[in-house]
């Protein structure tokens, strides 16, 4: 496990996330992820730290309103958010990680479009 850094485009939102150097991320086909091209690196809250930008984050919610989509209100980039599959953790946008620490990125598809079928319990697998 190492510390990766990342953030939004304008730089106001910055975070640190503890994850392996070789990460496995998910590409979801649901209505919002497919439009933004989001790549999920989902971690427990204890492995995520917001370094700056709490004051510029805007929350967007829809449907079940479990997920809290957090956008930078200045540049519009969603660098991380609270996902419906794991509201006890954070989903970091792997596309918003800074260069230099990720040795390998494996992208696994996730069928979020068919949520009830993919997540029969209503949630993703527990985070370690
Ligand atoms: Zn920004």
């Amino acid at each position: 496990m190492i510390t990766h850094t990342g953030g939004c485009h304008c730089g106001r939102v910055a975070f640190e996330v503890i994850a392996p150097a070789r990460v496995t991320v998910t590409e979801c086909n649901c209505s919002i992820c497919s439009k933004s091209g989001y790549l999920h690196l989902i971690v427990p809250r204890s492995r995520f730290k917001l370094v700056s930008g709490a004051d510029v984050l805007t929350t967007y919610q829809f449907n079940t309103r479990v997920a809290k989509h957090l956008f930078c209100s200045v540049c519009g980039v969603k660098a991380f958010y609270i996902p419906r599959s794991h509201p006890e953790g954070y989903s970091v946008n792997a596309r918003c990680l800074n260069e230099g620490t990720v040795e390998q990125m494996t992208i696994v598809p996730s069928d979020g479009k068919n949520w009830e079928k993919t997540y029969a319990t209503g949630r993703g697998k527990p985070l370690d």
Side-chain angles (χ1 to χ4, degrees):
M1 291 281 186
I2 60 165
T3 300
H4 302 279
T5 60
C8 69
H9 186 264
C10 73
R12 286 173 175 82
V13 175
F15 62 75
E16 290 178 359
V17 61
I18 297 169
R22 291 164 179 248
V23 292
T24 298
V25 302
T26 53
E27 182 172 28
C28 176
N29 63 357
C30 84
S31 63
I32 190 162
C33 294
S34 60
K35 288 201 174 193
S36 61
Y38 198 99
L39 291 179
H40 302 258
L41 172 61
I42 298 176
V43 298
R45 290 201 178 191
S46 58
R47 281 164 47 195
F48 178 88
K49 188 172 118 188
L50 183 62
V51 176
S52 68
D55 54 325
V56 294
L57 289 171
T58 292
T59 306
Y60 172 59
Q61 292 180 274
F62 64 97
N63 192 12
T64 64
R65 306 179 78 85
V66 174
K68 295 190 184 343
H69 301 273
L70 302 168
F71 297 84
C72 172
S73 58
V74 177
C75 69
V77 167
K78 182 166 111 181
F80 74 98
Y81 77 112
I82 297 168
R84 181 180 173 188
S85 67
H86 297 88
E88 78 282 18
Y90 283 113
S91 170
V92 169
N93 190 349
R95 296 194 192 277
C96 292
L97 293 171
N98 293 330
E99 287 180 19
T101 54
V102 175
E103 286 177 12
Q104 187 179 44
M105 192 179 292
T106 305
I107 299 173
V108 176
S110 167
D111 189 11
K113 194 175 183 177
N114 297 298
W115 182 273
E116 284 71 21
K117 205 162 84 183
T118 303
Y119 300 101
T121 63
R123 293 287 182 268
K125 282 188 228 140
L127 300 169
D128 45 287

